[in-house]
Amino acid sequence: DFVAKRVVQEQVIILHAGHGAEALDFAFVENPDLIILDIQMPGMDGLEVLARLKENEKTAKIPVLMLSSMDDPENIKKSIELGAAVFLVKANETPASIVEKIRITLAKSGESHSAHK
């Protein structure tokens, strides 16, 4: 996978879903710290998964990083409107830059959680 090798070096646990419904199942059961979604996924696309994550109380606060080869402005706009923390275009990123954006997103998420306590 594009990022998996680099992320594994960061000593994190990765759960990989093969399709949108599986991604939702993982999110609801595992309650991850961060979710990385592609727009193009079998069955249910990443935008639909994002919408369902953000409308569910249990998963609404999990930061979602959209990572896609599709740089269509409408997909980017819709992702942000639906609640994605970041939208990254694969062609513009390296594994190292993605890991850095994951760190930044998690740090911001941690700050917002502590601010609401």
Side-chain angles (χ1 to χ4, degrees), residues 20-21 23-24 28 37-56 59 64 66 75 78-79 82:
L24 283 174
F28 295 140
L37 284 176
D38 195 338
I39 289 180
Q40 294 178 306
M41 295 172 37
M44 181 187 314
D45 72 18
L47 293 172
E48 177 69 20
V49 173
L50 176 61
R52 291 187 185 198
L53 288 168
K54 294 304 178 179
E55 68 190 18
N56 185 292
T59 56
V64 177
M66 299 299 286
N75 285 329
K78 183 151 183 152
S79 296
L82 288 171

Side-chain angles (χ1 to χ4, degrees), residues 14-27 36-37 41-42 49:
I14 298 174
L15 300 173
H16 180 267
H19 53 82
E22 185 178 28
L24 283 174
D25 289 344
F26 280 159
I36 301 173
L37 284 176
M41 295 172 37
V49 173

Side-chain angles (χ1 to χ4, degrees), residues 2 33 39 81 90 95:
F2 182 70
D33 295 325
I39 289 180
E81 287 173 353
K90 289 179 186 179

